[in-house]
Amino acid sequence: DSGVTQTPKHLITATGQRVTLRCSPRSGDLSVYWYQQSLDQGLQFLIQYYNGEERAKGNILERFSAQQFPDLHSELNLSSLELGDSALYFCASSVTGGGDTIYFGEGSWLTVV
Amino acid sequence: GQNIDQPTEMTATEGAIVQINCTYQTSGFNGLFWYQQHAGEAPTFLSYNVLDGLEEKGRFSSFLSRSKGYSYLLLKELQMKDSASYLCAVTEGYQKVTFGTGTKLQVIP
């Protein structure tokens, strides 16, 4: 158990819908990362937050948005869902986000039908 | 931006040694991670190299050459449970961590 908690673990939704994935980082970690992993694909970096502020942005679609709240939990919002958005979404956290070890949650499986 | 290259797949025999290479091109290199990921599971941390040289941790060792943009992960005394994907990831500056596509290792009896 890495200490990073993600909910829901599994989610099935229809095209065009909107979902929110939630992440609680490890206790003491200030930085949160979001990654997308499609079937048999590598981890695609989406976005990173540090202490509530966006720190780095990767290949995140405009239909996706995220935020980190004052209590440091984070949410990833996916809207106007398409079949290709079906993937495993990982949240990860680290203490500073400055090159220290990143710990991953178990992921949220999203299936768009 | 960053460019990270790893072999897609490798096969090795139980009890043997395998070396998984990773080459990268990046500006503002800070360090390099190796993670292990079993199918459908979360990546788990193996090592983090910042300085040149070899770091050994049990059956796993990781090497870094910053001047060559090169790293490898060495797995000794392979076990069946080592069958997994091994991900190389590079930190750029003090910001985003970018992962390679991973090397799928199959350990055979």
Side-chain angles (χ1 to χ4, degrees):
Chain A
D1 182 5
S2 67
V4 180
T5 304
Q6 289 187 248
T7 57
K9 291 194 187 321
H10 298 272
L11 187 59
I12 301 175
T13 191
T15 54
Q17 294 298 305
R18 173 190 169 94
V19 299
T20 297
L21 309 181
R22 194 178 190 278
C23 170
S24 294
R26 292 189 325 151
S27 177
D29 285 359
L30 298 178
S31 191
V32 168
Y33 306 75
W34 286 98
Y35 288 86
Q36 178 194 53
Q37 188 172 41
S38 302
L39 193 63
D40 291 333
Q41 298 295 311
L43 285 166
Q44 295 296 317
F45 171 71
L46 296 178
I47 200 163
Q48 179 196 1
Y49 284 86
Y50 174 77
N51 204 21
E53 299 290 326
E54 182 183 306
R55 172 169 276 186
K57 209 170 207 179
N59 300 321
I60 188 167
L61 300 172
E62 287 190 8
R63 300 183 286 109
F64 296 0
S65 65
Q67 57 182 324
Q68 185 180 27
F69 294 88
D71 68 352
L72 301 177
H73 91 272
S74 178
E75 293 180 355
L76 178 66
N77 300 296
L78 315 174
S79 61
S80 302
L81 285 167
E82 302 174 359
L83 295 178
D85 297 328
S86 295
L88 184 54
Y89 290 84
F90 284 109
C91 172
S93 73
S94 68
V95 177
T96 68
D100 50 329
T101 302
I102 300 172
Y103 295 91
F104 283 81
E106 294 299 310
S108 292
W109 282 96
L110 173 65
T111 302
V112 182
V113 298
Chain B
Q2 299 174 345
N3 187 27
I4 302 171
D5 288 314
Q6 303 180 235
T8 304
E9 295 181 348
M10 297 182 72
T11 301
T13 306
E14 190 177 13
I17 299 173
V18 69
Q19 178 174 312
I20 302 174
N21 296 324
C22 171
T23 58
Y24 62 88
Q25 292 176 310
T26 184
S27 56
F29 175 84
N30 190 40
L32 187 144
F33 289 100
W34 283 98
Y35 280 80
Q36 180 192 60
Q37 186 181 26
H38 287 97
E41 298 182 9
T44 55
F45 171 81
L46 292 177
S47 66
Y48 182 54
N49 293 66
V50 176
L51 303 176
D52 286 355
L54 183 69
E55 293 196 8
E56 298 184 69
K57 194 183 293 184
R59 293 190 299 114
F60 293 5
S61 302
S62 57
F63 172 84
L64 176 66
S65 169
R66 295 175 66 116
S67 62
K68 295 182 179 178
Y70 168 69
S71 173
Y72 66 74
L73 181 68
L74 193 70
L75 290 76
K76 304 176 185 176
E77 301 169 13
L78 279 172
Q79 302 175 9
M80 298 301 291
K81 68 178 182 179
D82 297 331
S83 292
S85 288
Y86 291 85
L87 312 176
C88 168
V90 172
T91 59
E92 182 178 12
Y94 283 93
Q95 298 181 3
K96 64 181 180 180
V97 179
T98 302
F99 283 79
T101 54
T103 299
K104 194 171 184 179
L105 173 67
Q106 183 182 14
V107 180
I108 57 176

